[in-house]
Amino acid sequence: QVQLVESGGGLVQPGGSLRLSCAASGSFRRIYTMGWYRQAPAKQRELVAHIPFGGLANYADSVKGRFTIFRDNAKNTVYLQMNSLKPEDTADYYCKVDYADYIYRNLEVWGQGTLVTVSS
């Protein structure tokens, strides 16, 4: 019953910045872990970053020191601040949320994806 709406993708020059947003809505008891994945052409989908409720964020080695994941629990929204972007960051970025519904099922839901293109 949870749906995710992503926004913030676009075209940016190398060294530039973008902020992705992912807002969850619908029926649920609690949202647990929220995260971002990406998939480049001809590559597998990979974890970029995720953050549990009240816990430490985890990042892929390729984005450490450049990306920051954070969340606003009151708004059920997770963000990915991307700085010092490189051409190899070009990919479709997907939000993923782990949550519990009102009959205590542990579920996950994916966003629709947003395209990030890093190019001169």
Side-chain angles (χ1 to χ4, degrees):
Q1 192 61 56
V2 170
Q3 292 180 295
L4 305 179
V5 178
E6 300 180 23
S7 63
L11 175 65
V12 64
Q13 70 273 22
S17 298
L18 285 173
R19 180 180 291 182
L20 306 183
S21 299
C22 173
S25 63
S27 180
F28 56 88
R29 289 188 183 274
R30 191 77 64 190
I31 291 175
Y32 299 113
T33 301
M34 309 182 82
W36 291 93
Y37 294 71
R38 68 186 181 187
Q39 188 165 21
K43 291 188 176 181
Q44 293 184 329
R45 188 171 297 186
E46 65 176 353
L47 174 69
V48 177
H50 68 253
I51 182 168
F53 186 91
L56 295 175
N58 185 73
Y59 299 92
D61 288 341
S62 59
V63 307
K64 287 180 180 176
R66 299 188 297 120
F67 291 11
T68 302
I69 186 171
F70 59 102
R71 57 194 286 176
D72 184 337
N73 292 323
K75 297 180 179 179
N76 296 315
T77 300
V78 63
Y79 305 88
L80 185 68
Q81 179 66 46
M82 303 185 293
N83 299 326
S84 302
L85 282 161
K86 304 174 181 179
E88 51 263 46
D89 295 318
T90 296
D92 285 311
Y93 284 72
Y94 297 89
C95 179
K96 177 180 175 288
V97 171
D98 299 322
Y99 71 99
D101 68 8
Y102 278 100
I103 56 173
Y104 296 100
R105 294 181 297 187
N106 294 319
L107 303 169
E108 66 181 41
V109 62
W110 290 84
Q112 81 280 6
T114 185
L115 178 62
V116 172
T117 302
V118 185
S119 176
S120 298

